[in-house]
Amino acid sequence: MRWSVPVRARLTALYFVVLAASFAGFFWISDIGFQRSIETTVNEASLGNLQSVQRVLVKSVPGGSQKVRDELEDLRDLWANGALFEVLDAKGQCIFRSAKFGNASPKLPKDVGTSVFFLTTNLNLLQYRIALQRVQAAGQTWEIHAAVPTEPFDQALDHFRLIEQEALPLVVLLASLLGYWLSGRSLAPVSRIIATAERIGVQNLSRRLEVPKARDELRRLTETLNAMLDRIEASFKRITQFTADASHDLRTPVTIIRSTAEITLRRTRSEEEYREALATVLETSVETSELLENLLTLARADAGAVGMEMHPLELGAHVRKAQQRALALSADKPLDVAAVMPAEPIWVRADAIAIDRLLLILLDNAVKYTPAGGRCEIALQQDGAQAKITVRDTGIGIAEKDLEAIFDRFYRADRARTRDIRGAGLGLAIARWIAEMHGGTIAAESRVGAGSTFEVNLPLPSAGTATA
């Protein structure tokens, strides 16, 4: 079983580890720096004392051995800081040694020349740093050992380390508590977002998350979530409207079929009456099948489950095919259905079945809404990098207020004027979807009583791909 650790606790733990490591590294580096600083200081002090003894030797050697001893004793009395020294002659015999120097320190090897050496040792139970060097004074060789006590520095280093041991845990603990508090304040907007999101449901999809004032990542997250909620709300409204409209449009044919059957079966009727009733049922069933097919197409389109098989397509053949179908649709009323074709073939990459359906939808509407004696025309031409298909009619036209909505699902303009023309208002929605799937556009222009014009623009393929 995996433990669920809150983000706030994980952030605090990470902050604690990083902070502890940082402070430990800082104190470790400081300790090393402190030691090196102490070593440099005592080396410089012992070397300075050694050089002082050397100057005394240079000054007093011409006066004899006693003069040397007297001068060195005077120098010893002047140093009240605990500094010690001893002087050896060329034979290694001790000429002068401070009383507290204790045992003689190691002598320098003969082959070191005049280089300065440093060593650390204990003298009378105290630790000293000793500088050793051979020097020349009045033509004679002398070996000087100058010692400086390191105890004060060692005590300061020990005190610093004690502070480290006591302060490090306390500082890390206090800083971690501060980090825990700060992470709580930083994550408070997230808690509010979660609380608000949990209260948003189907009944209140219009509710939105509170946008923080600070322009940071949380503000961007909140705005993104609100934009997502806008899309969800819009989709939900479309689904709700789609379901309501589909239910309404399906209820009507089902009612017609049921009522026709019930009325017909109430008593014995003639063969002609039965045929008439069955014809009504068949016609209504065909219309219902078309409606269900359109609904299924749009549902698949919304789910992204409809794929287009794009192949090189010569539009002229499909335009002529659509014209022939329109002539068949207008067989029951005299209409002039014409096709205007270009001199050269126009190729596009398209799905043949989808293009046929798009053209049939537009011509079917033109035939439906054009009275007898009118004209329907489909024209194909190349317009720059696009193929333009125009469907015109001299029908009843569409009011300007309806033009923006005619491509919406289940929308039918002015039902009072078109009550004798059946339809679910899905054709133009499917036509727009087909055009957009091909990277094209569809638009409409119309005037009431003067007919309508629908224009479809499809992109032409780049050079060399039209017949690929």
Side-chain angles (χ1 to χ4, degrees):
M1 178 179 179
R2 297 183 63 182
W3 292 95
S4 178
V5 182
V7 174
R8 185 179 185 184
R10 294 203 300 268
L11 286 175
T12 303
L14 179 62
Y15 184 70
F16 174 84
V17 171
V18 172
L19 197 64
S22 300
F23 273 111
F26 170 75
F27 283 128
W28 178 70
I29 294 173
S30 300
D31 190 277
I32 293 176
F34 207 156
Q35 291 182 60
R36 291 183 177 178
S37 177
I38 290 174
E39 183 178 352
T40 300
T41 301
V42 296
N43 283 348
E44 290 177 351
S46 60
L47 180 60
N49 291 349
L50 186 149
Q51 292 171 346
S52 297
V53 174
Q54 180 182 1
R55 287 192 292 271
V56 170
L57 286 176
V58 172
K59 178 181 178 182
S60 61
V61 164
S65 299
Q66 188 61 41
K67 177 66 173 177
V68 171
R69 290 187 181 91
D70 292 340
E71 291 291 337
L72 291 177
E73 287 181 359
D74 291 341
L75 178 62
R76 177 197 60 189
D77 295 336
L78 289 175
W79 288 347
N81 59 356
L84 308 176
F85 64 91
E86 66 178 351
V87 179
L88 308 178
D89 60 14
K91 297 179 181 181
Q93 299 296 323
C94 180
I95 302 301
F96 181 87
R97 177 180 294 152
S98 298
K100 295 181 180 180
F101 211 99
N103 297 327
S105 59
K107 296 181 181 179
L108 287 170
K110 294 182 178 180
D111 58 350
V112 298
T114 57
S115 300
V116 180
F117 282 81
F118 295 94
L119 62 88
T120 301
T121 187
N122 289 328
L123 301 175
N124 292 331
L125 303 179
L126 295 177
Q127 185 169 278
Y128 280 79
R129 185 71 169 172
I130 304 176
L132 303 89
Q133 185 181 27
R134 286 196 180 95
V135 300
Q136 297 292 325
Q140 301 181 39
T141 300
W142 307 85
E143 186 173 324
I144 304 173
H145 301 168
V148 174
T150 61
E151 189 68 22
F153 301 101
D154 294 336
Q155 291 178 354
L157 180 60
D158 292 339
H159 183 64
F160 175 72
R161 289 172 174 171
L162 180 62
I163 293 175
E164 285 182 354
Q165 296 172 2
E166 294 178 350
L168 178 59
L170 181 61
V171 170
V172 172
L173 178 61
L174 292 176
S176 299
L177 292 175
L178 178 61
Y180 183 77
W181 178 74
L182 289 175
S183 62
R185 284 182 57 87
S186 300
L187 293 174
V190 178
S191 300
R192 290 195 295 271
I193 290 173
I194 294 173
T196 305
E198 288 176 343
R199 290 193 293 268
I200 296 177
V202 175
Q203 304 301 326
N204 60 344
L205 273 176
S206 59
R207 186 169 184 172
R208 294 294 177 267
L209 304 175
E210 180 183 352
V211 179
K213 295 181 179 179
R215 296 185 176 275
D216 54 12
E217 289 79 2
L218 288 177
R219 182 186 179 98
R220 291 177 55 193
L221 172 63
T222 305
E223 292 174 344
T224 302
L225 291 175
N226 282 338
M228 181 185 69
L229 288 172
D230 290 338
R231 294 192 296 271
I232 292 175
E233 183 183 14
S235 299
F236 184 78
K237 287 181 177 179
R238 285 197 301 269
I239 292 172
T240 303
Q241 185 64 37
F242 183 87
T243 304
D245 292 338
S247 299
H248 176 271
D249 280 85
L250 285 172
R251 187 184 301 114
T252 300
V254 170
T255 302
I256 293 174
I257 293 173
R258 178 177 178 178
S259 60
T260 301
E262 288 178 346
I263 293 173
T264 303
L265 292 174
R266 283 179 184 175
R267 61 181 176 84
T268 304
R269 298 181 181 274
S270 64
E271 180 180 352
E272 183 180 352
E273 289 176 322
Y274 281 122
R275 285 182 176 277
E276 183 180 349
L278 289 174
T280 302
V281 171
L282 177 60
E283 182 183 358
T284 306
S285 299
V286 171
E287 292 176 354
T288 305
S289 297
E290 292 177 355
L291 173 60
L292 291 174
E293 183 181 353
N294 289 337
L295 289 173
L296 183 60
T297 298
L298 290 174
R300 288 176 175 173
D302 289 340
V306 180
M308 295 285 183
E309 296 184 4
M310 302 297 185
H311 299 288
L313 202 73
E314 201 281 300
L315 281 178
H318 292 269
V319 169
R320 285 188 290 269
K321 181 179 178 181
Q323 179 201 15
Q324 295 302 315
R325 289 183 175 180
L327 287 171
L329 292 173
S330 63
D332 59 343
K333 60 179 177 180
L335 286 178
D336 180 14
V337 180
V340 179
M341 306 300 296
E344 298 292 333
I346 297 178
W347 290 83
V348 295
R349 289 190 63 83
D351 183 287
I353 296 176
I355 290 297
D356 286 341
R357 190 170 189 179
L358 168 62
L359 299 180
L360 183 59
I361 288 172
L362 297 179
L363 282 174
D364 181 46
N365 281 347
V367 170
K368 281 182 182 179
Y369 295 104
T370 301
R375 176 181 172 84
C376 299
E377 177 186 283
I378 180 169
L380 173 63
Q381 62 178 331
Q382 182 175 338
D383 184 10
Q386 292 184 324
K388 180 188 291 185
I389 303 172
T390 306
V391 177
R392 299 184 182 87
D393 64 62
T394 58
I396 61 176
I398 305 170
E400 184 177 355
K401 63 182 179 63
D402 295 321
L403 278 175
E404 294 182 359
I406 58 173
F407 293 103
D408 295 341
R409 299 174 186 183
F410 295 104
Y411 186 85
R412 295 190 65 196
D414 198 350
R415 292 178 181 268
R417 297 170 58 236
T418 60
R419 59 179 177 270
D420 295 332
I421 303 174
R422 292 187 178 182
L426 294 176
L428 290 179
I430 295 175
R432 179 174 64 178
W433 169 72
I434 293 173
E436 291 175 350
M437 287 294 290
H438 286 79
T441 60
I442 183 170
E445 295 180 358
S446 184
R447 286 192 305 163
V448 176
S452 304
T453 300
F454 286 83
E455 185 178 287
V456 178
N457 289 286
L458 300 176
L460 296 176
S462 57
T465 63
T467 58

